Amino acid sequence: MIIKQLTIFIENKSGRLAEVTKVLGENNINISALSVADTSEYGLIRLIVSDGEKAVKLLKKSEFSVNLTDVICLSVAHKPGALHDAIEILSEANVGIEYMYAYALGNKAAVIMKVSDPKEAIYVLTEKDIELLKADDVYK
Amino acid sequence: MIWNEHFECMSREQMTLLQNERLCQMVERVYYNVPFYRKKMQELGMEPGDITGLEDLPKLPFTTKQDLRDNYPFGLFATPMEDVVRIHASSGTTGKPTVVGYTRRDIAMWSEVVARSLSAAGIGKKDRIQIAYGYGLFTGGLGVHYGAERIGATVIPISGGNTAKQIQLLQDFESTAIALTPSYALYLAEAMEEMGVKPESLKLKVGIFGAEPWTENMRKEIESKLGIKAIDIYGLSEIIGPGVSIECMEQNGLHIFEDHFIPETIYRDTLLPSEQGEEGELVFTTVTKEALPILRYRTRDLTTLQYDVCDCGRTTVRMKKCTGRSDDMLIIRGVNIFPSQIESVLLELSETKPHYLLIVDRKNNLDTLEVWVEVDDMFFSDEIKQLEALTNKIVNALQSTLGIGVKVRLVEPKTIERSEGKAKRVIDKRKI
């Protein structure tokens, strides 16, 4: 249930994101999810891709700073209160959320989270019947 | 106004005689009292008797900033510590400062040369001088302070910074003179403009500016914006502090107080004395200092010495406004900074590699220092707060070593130029 997320450091200058997507596209690596955290001088691109290990090697070769981080992916109903239920479970278990990004499609929503304790998060969420996506479901 | 006509206007022959005598006494003193110099002279097969006058000066060994660091803190002092009444220090590599000491007589001599400097700038007993150099270990504030008291001026020891207060005191105390760094002067002028304080509403007539290099263009700007005469003062703590030399009202080179500090210029490649009238690295030998006498100190400042008599009547040798340096030292907001200091801080932090680039600029007339650091795998985190914490850690480490504010910017790996030889570590956009 642990999903490997790719994080890439890029300076705020034009063309850098395009270089990342170019490397991934040319090597047939598919992007399942993407989010950008930005500051005034640099950004962090967070990606879930079809082959994380390969992407890291390729990006390092192209001289990017990149790493792999453990995240989890929740699948909740696309309806009011559903996300709240999941977050409250984590909160009660004292699991901190470092950052998250989400999208909804159809009657489901996927929520990717970096949490302070992934194992504990998986345990408390599954116990309360919150669906967690498996790595293979996400890396497509 | 000439403070000490006897020493400032003596003939070249008299000056040479005086320097010969003082130099010989000084060489004898360091030989017997400072093991460092005795060893250096012995290595060169020299005894004090071998030095009979100025013509023998080039035979003596040099002293460098590194020598002062190697003998940190008091290793080069020639008097017992009980005779030392004051210590000053300037920032140095990895927090080890360059330490200098003064006896009571040294302080009196320093006050004398600053008194001569202020007089040359037209400052006298009736003036009110606002001293906006920093007070403390830095020699600027206290150095000018004692000289200003010596001439009997009214001293306003406000120290650096606190711009609004500086302007208020210029108005309320009717200061007629001010001592500060040229970049701060421009900043002050702009702040006055913003506050709607007109220079003609002030009594200010002269400023003495030093501790960092400045151009003729900056002089013009300061003079027009503040409506004052801008006088260049030169000094370095290793020699005494401010007051080694000063411009007179002719503003045609800085008069060196050579009865105390004998100047030479040397070629950078051969280290031999340069021909008269040719540019070289400025070297000073102090001949009257007690606590920290220095033989042939390599200042790394580049200048030309002029021996013709100035229109002001002083016969002392003049040095041209310094044109540059023969090492990589940067002077940022009056503080001496070597790129190697930044390198050693980065090496001490385990997360960073010593690939860095320094961007020095002048924004709103204040020098800025930006340090570019590459983000590599050791450094990297997927969380911005971690990156920010690390950036702050670098900023704090740099600031505590350098003593000035620094901005750290994270850049992508391999974006800073690598070089087999001397890497380009500094981009100075100030055009000094």
Side-chain angles (χ1 to χ4, degrees):
Chain A
M1 309 248 187
I2 299 250
I3 292 160
K4 295 285 181 192
Q5 170 197 263
L6 210 61
T7 308
I8 308 161
F9 177 92
I10 48 168
E11 281 174 59
N12 284 354
K13 49 188 183 191
S14 56
R16 295 304 282 159
L17 182 58
E19 281 178 56
V20 173
T21 48
K22 182 169 172 235
V23 169
L24 297 178
E26 280 177 354
N27 290 282
N28 210 25
I29 294 171
N30 200 21
I31 303 171
S32 305
L34 182 153
S35 115
V36 179
D38 63 313
T39 73
S40 58
E41 275 152 17
Y42 59 87
L44 295 180
I45 311 177
R46 298 173 182 137
L47 295 162
I48 311 284
V49 298
S50 55
D51 189 344
E53 302 281 349
K54 185 176 164 194
V56 167
K57 272 188 203 141
L58 291 164
L59 288 166
K60 278 198 175 165
K61 227 161 123 192
S62 303
E63 286 168 355
F64 281 98
S65 263
V66 52
N67 74 2
L68 279 178
T69 315
D70 290 348
V71 295
I72 55 172
C73 186
L74 282 59
S75 176
V76 296
H78 185 190
K79 66 172 195 199
L83 179 60
H84 170 75
D85 291 343
I87 289 175
E88 196 163 64
I89 293 166
L90 292 174
S91 157
E92 278 168 7
N94 273 326
V95 174
I97 299 169
E98 307 294 346
Y99 54 80
M100 58 189 275
Y101 42 108
Y103 64 92
L105 196 63
N107 55 6
K108 286 278 189 184
V111 182
I112 296 161
M113 278 183 185
K114 161 91 184 270
V115 291
S116 56
D117 186 344
K119 276 185 190 151
E120 177 71 9
I122 291 168
Y123 176 76
V124 294
L125 289 169
T126 39
E127 207 176 38
K128 301 274 181 179
D129 291 329
I130 303 275
E131 189 190 349
L132 285 164
L133 294 183
K134 291 192 192 71
D136 291 344
D137 299 332
V138 186
Y139 305 152
K140 273 176 189 162
Chain B
M1 197 164 42
I2 297 175
W3 177 256
N4 192 330
E5 267 195 40
H6 177 69
F7 287 107
E8 294 180 77
C9 306
M10 59 172 44
S11 69
R12 184 52 43 195
E13 293 72 34
Q14 279 178 303
M15 181 59 82
T16 305
L17 282 175
L18 180 73
Q19 289 178 333
N20 285 344
E21 189 194 325
R22 288 183 168 177
L23 177 65
C24 294
Q25 289 169 354
M26 147 86 178
V27 169
E28 194 165 303
R29 210 148 30 83
V30 298
Y31 186 87
Y32 291 112
N33 295 323
V34 186
F36 167 80
Y37 283 121
R38 184 162 58 246
K39 187 162 168 275
K40 272 207 164 186
M41 285 174 67
Q42 282 169 347
E43 278 167 9
L44 293 166
M46 285 171 71
E47 284 181 6
D50 297 338
I51 304 298
T52 57
L54 279 186
E55 67 278 6
D56 296 322
L57 191 55
K59 295 180 190 162
L60 288 164
F62 290 111
T63 309
T64 63
K65 203 175 187 73
Q66 190 59 43
D67 292 327
L68 273 97
R69 290 197 191 116
D70 291 346
N71 291 281
Y72 174 88
F74 310 135
L76 294 185
F77 285 16
T79 50
M81 279 309 284
E82 64 191 57
D83 293 333
V84 174
V85 300
R86 175 103 61 85
I87 297 288
H88 281 287
S90 63
S91 63
T93 309
T94 59
K96 255 195 186 176
T98 309
V99 179
V100 297
Y102 304 79
T103 63
R104 200 171 294 282
R105 257 190 64 186
D106 290 337
I107 297 284
M109 181 270 276
W110 189 11
S111 310
E112 159 75 20
V113 291
V114 175
R116 291 184 198 174
S117 303
L118 297 176
S119 302
I123 300 167
K125 196 176 160 18
K126 289 181 182 158
D127 283 295
R128 296 175 195 172
I129 178 167
Q130 192 158 322
I131 299 175
Y133 284 127
Y135 278 66
L137 285 175
F138 174 56
T139 51
L142 284 166
V144 175
H145 184 107
Y146 274 59
E149 282 193 352
R150 172 68 77 89
I151 61 171
T154 306
V155 177
I156 303 159
I158 182 167
S159 194
N162 208 343
T163 308
K165 185 126 198 190
Q166 300 276 4
I167 295 168
Q168 188 197 340
L169 298 197
L170 284 174
Q171 291 176 303
D172 298 352
F173 293 1
E174 302 186 332
S175 311
T176 55
I178 189 163
L180 71 174
T181 60
S183 54
Y184 188 48
L186 283 172
Y187 183 78
L188 195 67
E190 276 187 3
M192 274 170 47
E193 220 170 274
E194 276 167 27
M195 288 167 66
V197 177
K198 295 229 169 358
E200 51 275 20
S201 73
L202 301 176
K203 294 278 196 291
L204 201 61
K205 58 172 195 188
V206 64
I208 60 169
F209 302 95
E212 64 186 19
W214 51 307
T215 55
E216 280 303 323
N217 283 340
M218 270 181 90
R219 188 207 302 272
K220 279 183 202 132
E221 209 177 325
I222 293 170
E223 291 193 330
S224 75
K225 279 193 167 165
L226 285 174
I228 59 171
K229 193 131 177 137
I231 298 289
D232 194 2
I233 187 168
Y234 175 88
L236 60 171
S237 61
E238 294 86 344
I239 301 306
I240 191 82
V244 172
S245 65
I246 185 89
E247 275 179 339
C248 61
M249 301 302 258
E250 304 293 325
Q251 295 179 320
N252 179 22
L254 291 83
H255 290 273
I256 297 171
F257 300 116
E258 54 176 320
D259 49 323
H260 297 290
F261 322 113
I262 301 178
E264 301 168 81
T265 47
I266 57 168
Y267 292 118
R268 278 184 281 176
D269 42 358
T270 60
L271 304 184
L272 292 170
S274 60
E275 291 293 322
Q276 226 188 70
E278 276 195 43
E279 190 186 75
E281 182 184 326
L282 186 60
V283 171
F284 278 110
T285 299
T286 68
V287 287
T288 54
K289 257 171 85 189
E290 293 183 330
L292 183 61
I294 297 266
L295 291 184
R296 304 191 80 204
Y297 185 75
R298 291 187 59 186
T299 65
R300 312 283 169 168
D301 287 320
L302 300 178
T303 188
T304 311
L305 296 176
Q306 298 166 266
Y307 282 89
D308 54 316
V309 175
C310 181
D311 289 343
C312 72
R314 288 177 184 80
T315 55
T316 43
V317 61
R318 280 167 292 151
M319 53 185 264
K320 270 195 188 156
K321 222 168 173 344
C322 290
T323 48
R325 291 190 53 88
S326 67
D327 63 7
D328 58 355
M329 187 178 93
L330 296 160
I331 303 182
I332 299 169
R333 273 172 265 155
V335 176
N336 299 348
I337 305 227
F338 288 91
S340 56
Q341 289 175 280
I342 287 152
E343 190 168 313
S344 42
V345 169
L346 295 179
L347 280 168
E348 272 170 34
L349 297 170
S350 51
E351 299 91 341
T352 49
K353 287 193 176 148
H355 300 301
Y356 62 91
L357 186 67
L358 308 183
I359 313 282
V360 187
D361 205 349
R362 191 163 272 168
K363 288 173 189 154
N364 299 323
N365 295 313
L366 272 188
D367 294 341
T368 58
L369 174 61
E370 190 170 288
V371 181
W372 288 20
V373 180
E374 284 184 3
V375 172
D376 69 14
D377 294 347
M378 292 284 285
F379 191 129
F380 190 44
S381 162
D382 61 311
E383 290 176 35
I384 284 176
K385 67 178 179 213
Q386 301 280 358
L387 286 175
E388 282 180 345
L390 195 50
T391 308
N392 287 337
K393 188 173 160 190
I394 302 172
V395 166
N396 290 336
L398 286 171
Q399 287 184 170
S400 68
T401 296
L402 304 177
I404 61 164
V406 172
K407 183 169 188 284
V408 168
R409 177 175 176 158
L410 305 181
V411 296
E412 289 171 27
K414 306 277 167 66
T415 47
I416 294 170
E417 187 192 342
R418 305 294 198 268
S419 153
E420 294 291 319
K422 210 174 152 55
K424 184 151 182 62
R425 291 283 182 231
V426 181
I427 295 176
D428 197 335
K429 297 180 177 170
R430 294 178 295 181
K431 299 190 182 71
I432 296 170

